[in-house]
Amino acid sequence: DYNAVSGVGGTYQIGPVAPGQYFVRANPTVVQGYADEYYNDQKDLSTANPVTVTALNDTTGVNFALVLAGVITGTIRDTLAQPLSGIDLDIFDSVSGQRLRRGATSDVNGVYQFDRLPPGTYNVRADPTLAQGYAMQYYNGKATQGTADVITVSSGGTQSGIDFALASGGVITGNV
C-alpha cells in the first residue's frame, strides 16, 4: 500500500512505485465531508480504472474532483419494534447491481449509517447471520435486489429513515 496526503493546492505524489497497474483512491475523512472515490469518478474498486505506471516516466493527470458526501441512515428493529444490534448491512449501486466494498453495522439502539457516499442511487440490505435468526431483507421489506426500493443520495444530503423491521427466519436443510 502506498499513501500520500494532498498539499494546500491539492497536489499529491505517490512513489516511486514499481512499474505496473495500480488503483488510486482519494480517501477524505468524514470530517472533511467529501465522498471517497477511485480514479476517474468510480465509486468502488470493482469498477475502478487502473492507472498504469511505466519505468522512468511520470504518470500525470490522475486527478480527482471530489463532491460532497451523502449519508444513508436508519434503524434495524424486529417485528415487535425492538432494536437489533450487530446486524450487518450491505450497500449496492442500484444501476450496476455491484456491491460496494463498504458496510455498516447496527449499534445497541439499532441505528446504522453509511457515510462518505458519492451522489447516486443505492440499494441497502440487512444481512443478519444465521445465529441472529432473522431473515435477510432489502430496504422496505423487499426480498430481492431486483425488487428493492432505490435510495437516492444527493451531494451533501442525508437520507434518513431507511428503516428495517426484520422477521425471524427459517432454515432449509437437506442432502445432495
Side-chain angles (χ1 to χ4, degrees):
D1 287 341
Y2 296 95
N3 293 300
V5 175
S6 60
V8 174
T11 61
Y12 73 93
Q13 180 178 351
I14 301 172
V17 298
Q21 290 193 324
Y22 297 89
F23 295 102
V24 182
R25 179 178 66 161
N27 188 23
T29 66
V30 172
V31 172
Q32 291 169 318
Y34 292 96
D36 60 338
E37 72 175 49
Y38 284 84
Y39 170 62
N40 210 13
D41 298 324
Q42 299 302 306
K43 294 178 186 176
D44 193 62
L45 181 60
S46 65
T47 59
N49 301 110
V51 174
T52 301
V53 175
T54 57
L56 304 176
N57 292 303
D58 289 344
T59 303
T60 61
V62 182
N63 301 322
F64 295 85
L66 300 181
V67 296
L68 290 174
V71 174
I72 294 174
T73 185
T75 58
I76 308 289
R77 299 183 183 278
D78 64 16
T79 54
L80 300 175
Q82 296 301 306
L84 298 174
S85 67
I87 302 293
D88 176 60
L89 291 105
D90 301 315
I91 189 164
F92 300 82
D93 181 298
S94 72
V95 175
S96 69
Q98 291 288 319
R99 179 175 176 243
L100 302 184
R101 294 180 188 264
R102 62 178 78 204
T105 304
S106 60
D107 68 14
V108 295
N109 297 311
V111 175
Y112 74 90
Q113 178 171 305
F114 289 100
D115 52 28
R116 296 185 350 196
L117 294 172
T121 55
Y122 300 95
N123 302 120
V124 175
R125 178 178 73 193
D127 194 12
T129 65
L130 179 63
Q132 290 169 321
Y134 295 96
M136 179 182 70
Q137 179 188 112
Y138 286 85
Y139 170 60
N140 220 5
K142 303 299 173 46
T144 66
Q145 188 176 0
T147 62
D149 285 14
V150 173
I151 303 156
T152 301
V153 174
S154 61
S155 180
T158 298
Q159 287 293 340
S160 58
I162 308 302
D163 301 332
F164 291 82
L166 299 184
S168 296
V171 177
I172 299 171
T173 62
N175 294 313
V176 177

